[in-house]
Amino acid sequence: LRQRHGLAPGTTVLLSVGRLEHNKGFDVLAHALAQLVASSSPLVATGWRWVLAGTGPYRNTLQALVTSLGLDGHVVFAGRVSDADLHAWYEAATLFVHPTRYEGSSLVTLEAMAHRRAVVATRAGGLPDKVRPNVNGWLVEVDDVKGLAEAISTAVSDPFRLTSYGQAGRHIVDTEFA
């Protein structure tokens, strides 16, 4: 996948998975990423891509927003992906980001955790049952662009923490959600 999408070794890959609709908060994430670019955060220094796997009625709106924010070269709209490609994206990801406005249980967050990925998510629905600050990820308030940007910047600036949070996430999945 990295070769197919032109992702050089060392590129930070932020992965989001979900139906492309307003409720998922991907517009908030786009604004947070634009804020990080403008502030020259550690994310910018690594070279980065935001991979968005999923389809839905909000795709054209998101693509227009990404363009208006100047993020075109950094966003991969992967669309509907096979199970094999989805698991490969989880493996390629540096960080899983789930900025949803509303969520039930969130299977995609559990999948990311099963792949040992640290998670940045919103305090929505069942996400606080899975994502535990200072254990396996970061939680921010819904629609909080600044908080989301800060959490992503903090996460990508500490590779050791990403690894340990990923391991903790896998443990949570194995012991509480298996």
Side-chain angles (χ1 to χ4, degrees):
L1 285 175
R2 282 183 174 268
Q3 285 180 336
R4 192 179 337 150
H5 292 282
L7 303 176
T11 300
T12 297
V13 176
L14 306 174
L15 176 64
S16 297
V17 178
R19 184 160 166 73
L20 303 186
E21 56 188 34
H22 178 72
N23 183 53
K24 293 298 183 181
F26 297 131
D27 56 318
V28 177
L29 179 50
H31 284 286
L33 293 172
Q35 193 174 86
L36 289 173
V37 169
S39 70
S40 299
S41 88
L43 176 69
V44 177
T46 67
W48 65 277
R49 294 291 184 279
W50 173 30
V51 176
L52 187 50
T55 62
Y58 204 52
R59 181 179 176 137
N60 290 340
T61 302
L62 283 172
Q63 286 178 312
L65 177 62
V66 163
T67 297
S68 74
L69 294 171
L71 302 175
D72 273 335
H74 293 283
V75 181
V76 176
F77 284 91
R80 183 179 304 274
V81 297
S82 68
D83 285 345
D85 278 357
L86 180 58
H87 290 289
W89 276 123
Y90 283 122
E91 288 298 315
T94 307
L95 179 68
F96 185 75
V97 185
H98 196 53
T100 190
R101 292 180 167 98
Y102 171 81
E103 195 68 31
S105 181
S106 187
L107 180 59
V108 296
T109 300
L110 289 174
E111 288 175 345
M113 291 165 55
H115 282 274
R116 294 176 173 83
R117 295 300 167 254
V119 177
V120 170
T122 50
R123 277 188 185 84
L127 287 167
D129 294 339
K130 294 159 193 65
V131 181
R132 297 165 191 168
N134 301 313
V135 175
N136 70 320
W138 296 260
L139 285 173
V140 300
E141 298 305 320
V142 171
D143 288 330
D144 183 357
V145 172
K146 183 179 178 189
L148 189 59
E150 288 172 358
I152 293 167
S153 184
T154 298
V156 300
S157 68
D158 190 347
F160 176 77
R161 189 182 318 182
L162 286 175
T163 300
S164 66
Y165 279 19
Q167 295 295 338
R170 177 60 191 240
H171 179 74
I172 291 168
V173 169
D174 288 343
T175 59
E176 299 177 34
F177 296 96

